[in-house]
Amino acid sequence: MAAGGAGRPSTGHGGQGEKGGARTALAGLTTRGRSFLAAGIAAAICAYVLGQPDLLRVGLLLAALPLICAAVVYRTRYRVAGSRRLSPARVPAGSEARVHLRMDNVSRLPTGLLMLQDRVPYVLGPRPRFVLDRVEAGGRREVSYRVRSDLRGRYPLGPLQLRLSDPFGMCELTRAFSTYDTLTVIPRVEPLPPVRLSGEAKGYGDGRQRSLALAGEDDVIPRGYRYGDDLRRVHWRLTARYGELMVRREEQPQRSRCTVLLDTRGLAYQGAGPDSAFEWAVSGAASVLVHMLERGFSVRLLTDTGNSVPGEGSDGFAGASQESADAAGLMMDTLAVVDHSDGTGLSRAYDVLRGGNEGLLVAFLGDLDEEQAAVAAKMRQRSGGAVAFLLDGDSWTGEPNGVPDPMNRREERLRMLREAGWTALSVPRGAPLNELWRQADRERAGVMTGSGMTGSGTSGGEGWS
């Protein structure tokens, strides 16, 4: 909840302040107030010319009424506090969020007619307005409205504006609070089926293996006691031999790792909007990240620029832990604002991946030329398993890009990736990710069966569930 400050109209005192206050009050006259003022002045002039004192009194009344209302509104000191609450503060694209507004009258006097208005970006819908008739001393009013966006991003809500008006509608003055909130519209996340590529996963997950933190069997190379060690792990026989407390090395699980590579190059995608190929790739990356975190993988998000999510460790964010929800939220926030990069290649991402065995690699790639297809093929060498979703640009735009393609360039790129060991799939327009996920599992299983390989025979094989 974001608390707003007191919305108290300010009044100047003396000299320049009084002149500025008078200009502010007169600027707040409504069309009705300006009409009354103009009619009063015209009636007064006519009364002077025609010598009609009764008409002069009417003119003075008409001119004085809006001026008196403006002075009263400007001098009115309401002490109100405004707050805003988003439910939820992070919402998938295409879904609605509700914004709750609350106004508290913290003064000892009741308020008059108040108009409440919240500033929202155009993409979230029309600007909401509410009329509060009267708020008693110490009372509160709560209103709410809904916002919705098909475009992911971070959208500011606020500041909250309060319009003060007199009962006759002659004058309106606007006061704004200083605080605002941010609504984060994240990519759509599609639930994925629990499938498995051939190969056993090390660590957490269905294919669970445990490996020692350091080389050697348990009890063979013990270490000295450290403060905080569990006394149940004390090796008493070795303690008697060495004359100091010795503890067994504990087994530590090695967590399965998954890297999700998102190609953000602007030249690799055509079209724009919520149904474009790039938005499908971002949504697909978000779906895989959430799915892998739920399965207990250590997950890392990587882009073609070589950048990862700020705050994650070298192995990525750990799943199946208390921090997994926060990790998913941080990666969703990153994907909510990810945009096209100015890069032309995947070499930076390859430099990051070739530093070690990254476990399972899932890539969402746009259009590839021969050079970039070769770079992507080399990424497979340092991963236990690799799945690539290659988006068909012509299919997504609905028209050829104008470049002759007698050799069927897309099929050639798929062949290069498959020969390098990738499970590569072409993604036509509107293809559901869950079906492609199952298809990748079937193709991977067919390749492993046809080559006579088993899961334990792959180098650093990683299962995916």
Side-chain angles (χ1 to χ4, degrees):
M1 179 180 295
R8 181 187 298 177
S10 60
T11 56
H13 295 280
Q16 191 68 26
E18 291 182 355
K19 295 180 181 179
R23 285 195 296 266
T24 302
L26 292 178
L29 290 176
T30 62
T31 302
R32 179 184 300 176
R34 294 175 187 273
S35 300
F36 267 67
L37 181 60
I41 295 175
I45 294 175
C46 292
Y48 177 78
V49 173
L50 300 176
Q52 297 290 332
D54 294 336
L55 183 59
L56 178 61
R57 286 193 289 268
V58 173
L60 292 177
L61 177 63
L62 292 177
L65 181 60
L67 295 178
I68 294 174
C69 291
V72 170
V73 172
Y74 183 78
R75 288 288 182 177
T76 300
R77 291 178 176 268
Y78 293 141
R79 297 185 65 243
V80 295
S83 62
R84 182 189 301 102
R85 178 171 56 87
L86 305 182
S87 177
R90 185 186 291 115
V91 62
S95 300
E96 289 185 345
R98 183 168 290 274
V99 183
H100 301 268
L101 302 178
R102 171 176 162 178
M103 297 298 299
D104 294 272
N105 183 10
V106 296
S107 66
R108 298 181 179 180
L109 298 176
T111 68
L113 185 66
L114 301 178
M115 178 179 289
L116 196 62
Q117 177 177 277
D118 205 8
R119 298 184 62 181
V120 300
Y122 175 77
V123 69
L124 296 182
R127 182 170 296 183
R129 294 181 175 89
F130 305 94
V131 177
L132 305 181
D133 187 13
R134 181 179 181 274
V135 183
E136 64 277 6
R140 70 179 60 169
R141 296 290 186 271
E142 294 185 4
V143 293
S144 64
Y145 64 93
R146 294 178 295 178
V147 291
R148 179 181 182 274
S149 174
D150 292 328
L151 299 175
R152 56 186 175 80
R154 293 173 63 87
Y155 301 101
L157 300 179
L160 194 62
Q161 293 180 335
L162 191 65
R163 283 189 179 181
L164 310 178
S165 178
D166 65 281
F168 300 102
M170 298 289 182
C171 181
E172 288 184 353
L173 294 181
T174 301
R175 295 291 182 263
F177 296 96
S178 59
T179 57
Y180 66 92
D181 291 279
T182 301
L183 175 67
T184 302
V185 181
I186 62 176
R188 297 184 182 92
V189 175
E190 183 176 351
L192 299 181
V195 300
R196 171 185 290 280
L197 284 178
S198 299
E200 292 296 327
K202 298 178 181 178
Y204 300 113
D206 294 335
R208 181 177 301 179
Q209 297 177 353
R210 298 179 66 86
S211 59
L212 295 179
L214 298 175
E217 296 295 334
D218 189 23
D219 297 342
V220 176
I221 308 179
R223 62 170 175 83
Y225 175 83
R226 298 172 185 168
Y227 179 77
D229 286 340
D230 190 349
L231 292 178
R232 291 175 295 181
R233 292 175 45 230
V234 174
H235 195 297
W236 296 109
R237 185 173 59 183
L238 292 178
T239 297
R241 178 185 303 176
Y242 292 104
E244 61 176 333
L245 284 176
M246 305 294 291
V247 296
R248 301 179 178 90
R249 293 188 186 277
E250 65 176 347
E251 293 183 349
Q252 295 182 353
Q254 179 180 345
R255 191 182 301 274
S256 301
R257 292 181 293 177
C258 174
T259 297
V260 178
L261 173 62
L262 176 62
D263 183 8
T264 63
R265 296 172 300 136
L267 54 81
Y269 299 94
Q270 303 178 40
D275 296 327
S276 63
F278 181 67
E279 293 302 321
W280 190 98
V282 174
S283 177
S287 302
V288 173
L289 287 169
V290 172
H291 179 74
M292 289 302 183
L293 278 173
E294 292 175 349
R295 304 301 299 179
F297 280 67
S298 290
V299 181
R300 178 172 64 171
L301 172 64
L302 183 66
T303 65
D304 58 288
T305 61
N307 296 327
S308 301
V309 177
E312 68 179 10
S314 58
D315 291 337
F317 289 107
S321 64
Q322 295 181 352
E323 294 81 13
S324 60
D326 295 336
L330 185 56
M331 286 189 283
M332 291 300 104
D333 290 345
T334 301
L335 288 176
V337 296
V338 70
D339 202 354
H340 291 296
S341 68
D342 297 330
T344 58
L346 303 173
S347 56
R348 293 184 180 178
Y350 171 70
D351 292 338
V352 175
L353 291 173
R354 69 178 180 179
N357 188 348
E358 299 298 329
L360 178 64
L361 175 60
V362 181
F364 292 85
L365 305 173
D367 291 331
L368 299 176
D369 56 22
E370 185 175 359
E371 179 182 358
Q372 300 311 316
V375 174
K378 291 189 295 183
M379 294 179 183
R380 173 63 179 85
Q381 300 172 1
R382 303 301 299 177
S383 62
V387 182
F389 298 98
L390 188 62
L391 279 77
D392 182 4
D394 293 345
S395 172
W396 282 89
T397 57
E399 57 184 12
N401 56 16
V403 178
D405 194 12
M407 300 297 294
N408 199 339
R409 184 175 58 180
R410 179 173 54 85
E411 292 297 331
E412 178 65 19
R413 305 298 180 255
L414 289 172
R415 184 189 61 81
M416 292 178 61
L417 295 177
R418 288 165 180 166
E419 289 180 351
W422 285 82
T423 301
L425 300 177
S426 176
V427 182
R429 181 181 179 86
L433 179 60
N434 56 355
E435 293 298 330
L436 294 173
W437 195 249
R438 292 191 180 94
Q439 182 181 351
D441 176 50
R442 292 193 297 266
E443 292 193 8
R444 175 70 174 176
V447 170
M448 300 298 290
T449 303
S451 60
M453 299 174 64
T454 62
S456 58
T458 57
S459 174
E462 293 285 344
W464 63 313
S465 302

